[in-house]
């Protein structure tokens, strides 16, 4: 298979950042509502929020929408390098790879600004693209 060239159809860094902000608000609101009556330890709370975040992103990005609520709002979606929808395992790999993008002082995210296809380290690891709808 040949890698598809989307030309100027790659999602910009500002649209990806705004999608993240929207998604953060969605996930935080849902988690706050779910944990309202629970008296968990901070460690337990952090663990479950992390699980919720990874499941949310992987499930939404592998859905027929190929996007989280934030990405839908910004008119962008996630594809593989051939323009196809991700399966759940590839979407999960992409999102778990964000740990590495963050761990190296955010350089994995900064790469988006300088890459010709606007890929972050996590996109390169999972062979994914974020493109305009």
């Amino acid at each position: 298979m040949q890698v598809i060239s989307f030309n100027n159809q790659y999602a910009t860094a500002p649209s990806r950042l705004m999608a993240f902000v929207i998604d953060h608000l969605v996930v935080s609101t849902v988690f706050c509502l779910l944990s309202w009556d629970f008296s968990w330890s901070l460690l337990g709370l952090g663990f479950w929020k992390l699980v919720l975040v990874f499941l949310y992103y992987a499930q939404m990005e592998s859905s027929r929408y190929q996007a989280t609520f934030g990405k839908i709002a910004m008119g962008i979606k996630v594809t593989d390098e051939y323009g196809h929808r991700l399966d759940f395992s590839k979407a999960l790999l992409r999102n778990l790879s964000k740990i590495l993008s963050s761990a190296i002082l955010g350089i994995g995210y900064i790469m988006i600004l300088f890459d010709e296809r606007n890929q972050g380290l996590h996109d390169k690891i999972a062979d994914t693209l974020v493109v305009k709808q």
Side-chain angles (χ1 to χ4, degrees):
M1 291 184 133
Q2 186 176 352
V3 175
I4 293 177
S5 173
F6 287 93
N7 296 329
N8 289 332
Q9 296 302 310
Y10 301 113
T12 62
S15 64
R16 291 177 70 163
L17 179 60
M18 191 61 199
F20 167 78
V21 170
I22 294 167
D23 288 326
H24 180 72
L25 291 172
V26 168
V27 170
S28 294
T29 301
V30 169
F31 187 74
C32 188
L33 292 172
L34 290 175
S35 63
W36 191 263
D37 275 344
F38 296 101
S39 55
W40 296 334
S41 70
L42 287 178
L43 180 62
L45 252 154
F47 170 78
W48 287 111
K49 184 171 184 182
L50 196 60
V51 168
L52 176 67
V53 167
F54 285 122
L55 289 177
Y56 166 72
Y57 277 92
Q59 180 59 44
M60 292 295 291
E61 291 174 354
S62 64
S63 73
R64 67 183 177 118
Y65 301 107
Q66 296 176 252
T68 59
F69 292 118
K71 287 180 180 73
I72 292 168
M74 296 309 299
I76 59 179
K77 66 180 181 178
V78 182
T79 71
D80 68 9
E81 291 196 324
Y82 307 104
H84 301 123
R85 184 172 81 183
L86 306 183
D87 61 25
F88 183 81
S89 61
K90 187 167 213 151
L92 187 60
L93 170 65
R94 178 181 184 273
N95 286 287
L96 288 172
S97 298
K98 288 179 180 180
I99 295 170
L100 185 57
S101 287
S102 298
I104 53 174
L105 304 174
I107 292 171
Y109 290 106
I110 294 170
M111 289 172 57
I112 295 168
L113 298 170
F114 302 101
D115 187 77
E116 67 180 20
R117 297 191 301 169
N118 298 347
Q119 286 180 296
L121 179 60
H122 50 283
D123 293 312
K124 290 184 180 292
I125 290 170
D127 295 324
T128 59
L129 298 168
V130 181
V131 297
K132 296 176 185 173
Q133 294 255 9

